């Protein structure tokens, strides 16, 4: 058996749905206006392992304690290297967290600071 609804009860429902749709549109527009943010990690490296750089990439090369040679190519557009004021032989490397884990840097360099950066 169908439940009969009156036009009076349909009107408020329609208004509520329209208001919800408008709020969703406003929230989506506000989200687009805000800059996207990505998680960034900072860690220290020795300045001596920054062996070679091209126009677009930086090579990090070093030997592990076991004598194994390890090399990482990092995009210059995604990384930021700054000299450490406290230790002149070290550099602070700042890269997106996804790149840090994807490249395997987490096996050799511990994270010293997490932050967020606008894209």
């Amino acid at each position: 058996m169908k439940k009969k609804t009156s036009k009076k009860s349909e009107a408020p429902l329609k208004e509520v749905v329209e208001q919800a749709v408008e709020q969703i549109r406003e929230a989506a527009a506000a989200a687009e206006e805000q800059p996207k943010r990505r998680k960034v990690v900072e860690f220290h490296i020795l300045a001596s392992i920054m062996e070679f750089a091209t126009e677009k990439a930086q090579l990090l090369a070093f030997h592990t304690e076991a004598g194994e040679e390890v090399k990482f190519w990092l995009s210059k557009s995604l990384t930021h290297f700054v000299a450490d004021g406290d230790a002149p032989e070290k550099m602070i490397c700042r890269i997106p967290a996804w790149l840090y884990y994807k490249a395997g840097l987490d096996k050799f360099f511990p994270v010293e600071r997490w932050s967020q950066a606008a894209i």
Side-chain angles (χ1 to χ4, degrees), residues 98-110:
W98 66 265
L99 179 60
Y100 174 76
Y101 288 106
K102 183 177 179 180
L105 293 167
D106 59 321
K107 297 172 186 151
F108 302 101
F109 305 103

Side-chain angles (χ1 to χ4, degrees), residues 2-20:
K2 274 190 171 180
K3 184 177 178 182
K4 293 184 181 181
T5 58
S6 66
K7 290 189 179 189
K8 289 181 184 178
S9 66
E10 289 179 8
L13 181 61
K14 185 177 180 181
E15 290 175 12
V16 170
V17 170
E18 288 174 355
Q19 288 175 355

